[in-house]
Amino acid sequence: MKFSKSPALTGLFIFMSLALAGCPSSYQKLSTKPVEKVNDHVLTSKQFANQLARRLRNFDALAAKDPNNIHRIKEEILRDFLVKSLTLDWARAQSIVISENTLDKEVDKLRANYPDDLSFRRALALENLSFSEWREELRYSLVEREVFKKINEKVKAPTEEEIKRYYEDNKDRYKRKERVFLRQIVVDEDAKADAIKVDLKTGDFAELARKYSITPEAKQGGVVGWIEKGSVDYFDPLFNVGSGVQTIKSPFGIHLIRVEKKAPASTLSLEEVKPQIIRALRAQREQAEYVAWLDAQLRSSKVLKDYELMNSIKVDTRGTND
């Protein structure tokens, strides 16, 4: 689980107002009222509002007020709570439990991504999460992973015939355009480019790239790698040149380029793409298995949603100077 800063609403507050909450006692009563119930799991209006506020932090002030965005996120919260509840119930029935030791190890692993505890706590604060809330979300993600693993035990590996059929049906995906393998030196002045051209007559291209090139691939001796025709417009002229160093100008500077290899247009063979076909077929089967599993859980569960209450939860944004 990672955290990301949300610059969109920096300097803005998001607060939720619950309609009909005219006094503290009525607000308290309304805030504990369920927006959604799935079997014995309850999502209260307060919890719903907090989740909505958290998700809206990823939007700028204008987008956060857009009724379409608000409605879509509200529906996402209901759907996510439904799936989470069904997942937890099934995990319990299957005796899938995440031990405290396993959870602690995962917590330590993720906290190690931060330079210190203060940075970690700040990341939690940005997401408006307490440590205990974050820890429980992490526990659920581990449960979810084990549930998926259990569901996918039924998924069979594709046969050779299925792989071959998929390849024939999707052959256009595996067509490869004409390609060139490039190595380059990029500088920001014509004078530098002219001086390097002289050095290239006796010097090593890779060493000169490491020494003078201003682009990231300089560390790899200027290796750009394979480029398909039509993918980078200012490289296209290279498909019609012979050996030797070519000079091209682009928004990034002056390029001294050597074409090291050329490959004609071709279609990848079945053996070359077989691993990705297997992954694609397995992903299709896993998705189908998951949809069937989810449908079965829904049919055997009791789900109640209070759309009137959900719609009464309002959103507003306030700037720091309001």
Side-chain angles (χ1 to χ4, degrees):
M1 188 177 296
K2 296 180 180 178
F3 299 106
S4 59
K5 292 184 178 180
S6 303
L9 284 177
T10 301
L12 292 169
F13 299 104
I14 296 179
F15 69 91
M16 315 308 299
S17 58
L18 296 177
L20 309 177
C23 63
S25 60
S26 62
Y27 177 86
Q28 180 64 30
K29 184 177 180 180
L30 194 61
S31 67
T32 57
K33 194 174 178 181
V35 174
E36 184 174 27
K37 289 181 71 176
V38 181
N39 298 328
D40 59 351
H41 302 275
V42 176
L43 177 66
T44 68
S45 59
K46 183 178 180 180
Q47 292 168 332
F48 184 93
N50 287 339
Q51 288 191 40
L52 180 57
R54 189 179 302 152
R55 296 191 190 204
L56 284 174
R57 289 181 185 277
N58 295 318
F59 293 81
D60 59 37
L62 188 62
K65 292 180 180 180
D66 186 329
N68 292 324
N69 287 334
I70 294 169
H71 178 74
R72 176 173 55 79
I73 294 172
K74 284 182 174 183
E75 291 290 349
E76 286 176 2
I77 293 170
L78 292 182
R79 185 184 65 245
D80 291 349
F81 181 77
L82 171 63
V83 172
K84 181 177 181 178
S85 300
L86 297 176
T87 301
L88 289 172
D89 285 348
W90 194 80
R92 183 169 53 199
Q94 298 292 318
S95 301
I96 295 174
V97 178
I98 303 301
S99 69
E100 293 303 309
N101 184 50
T102 299
L103 182 57
D104 286 341
K105 286 181 180 179
E106 195 68 19
V107 167
D108 292 341
K109 187 194 301 183
L110 292 172
R111 290 181 73 163
N113 293 327
Y114 296 86
D116 51 47
D117 190 60
L118 181 59
S119 300
F120 173 71
R121 296 287 176 176
R122 281 175 177 166
L124 287 177
L126 281 170
E127 296 296 322
N128 197 27
L129 279 171
S130 67
F131 176 75
S132 60
E133 287 173 326
W134 173 79
R135 194 171 189 274
E136 287 310 303
E137 286 192 8
L138 179 58
R139 186 196 301 276
Y140 171 69
S141 70
L142 296 177
V143 169
E144 187 179 46
R145 186 167 66 191
E146 293 303 312
V147 166
F148 288 161
K149 193 185 300 182
K150 187 83 172 174
I151 294 170
N152 291 331
E153 285 177 358
K154 300 177 183 178
V155 176
K156 294 180 180 179
T159 65
E160 289 298 319
E161 184 59 34
E162 288 169 330
I163 294 169
K164 191 178 298 184
R165 190 185 314 123
Y166 186 94
Y167 174 73
E168 293 299 331
D169 290 344
N170 297 276
K171 224 168 187 177
D172 283 349
R173 295 184 185 182
Y174 308 121
K175 287 182 178 178
R176 182 178 274 170
K177 296 179 182 178
E178 184 181 351
R179 298 176 298 150
V180 288
F181 190 94
L182 308 179
R183 191 186 292 267
Q184 71 176 358
I185 300 170
V186 184
V187 292
D188 54 6
E189 295 177 2
D190 288 318
K192 291 179 184 177
D194 291 338
I196 293 170
K197 284 180 188 176
V198 174
D199 291 342
L200 282 171
K201 292 177 181 178
T202 55
D204 179 72
F205 195 105
E207 285 302 317
L208 290 170
R210 276 188 277 267
K211 187 174 182 180
Y212 295 113
S213 189
I214 61 175
T215 46
E217 70 276 355
K219 294 177 182 178
Q220 287 76 47
V223 172
V224 177
W226 287 105
I227 298 293
E228 285 191 347
K229 191 172 186 177
S231 60
V232 183
D233 56 359
Y234 51 82
F235 283 159
D236 278 353
L238 299 170
F239 288 85
N240 302 315
V241 301
S243 59
V245 176
Q246 310 297 321
T247 304
I248 289 175
K249 290 190 176 182
S250 83
F252 303 100
I254 301 102
H255 303 244
L256 303 176
I257 300 175
R258 189 169 74 192
V259 178
E260 300 201 335
K261 291 181 277 188
K262 290 187 176 183
S266 62
T267 300
L268 295 171
S269 69
L270 174 58
E271 286 307 309
E272 287 176 296
V273 297
K274 191 173 182 179
Q276 70 187 76
I277 290 176
I278 291 172
R279 288 194 296 272
L281 287 171
R282 184 168 182 87
Q284 287 178 3
R285 293 182 179 187
E286 288 177 352
Q287 178 65 19
E289 193 67 38
Y290 177 74
V291 169
W293 171 85
L294 189 59
D295 183 61
Q297 305 317 302
L298 278 169
R299 283 188 278 106
S300 62
S301 299
K302 186 176 181 181
V303 180
L304 298 172
K305 298 178 183 180
D306 189 337
Y307 284 103
E308 184 178 356
L309 178 58
M310 181 189 80
N311 292 329
S312 76
I313 298 175
K314 306 298 181 182
V315 177
D316 198 1
T317 55
R318 296 290 176 90
T320 52
N321 295 322
D322 285 1

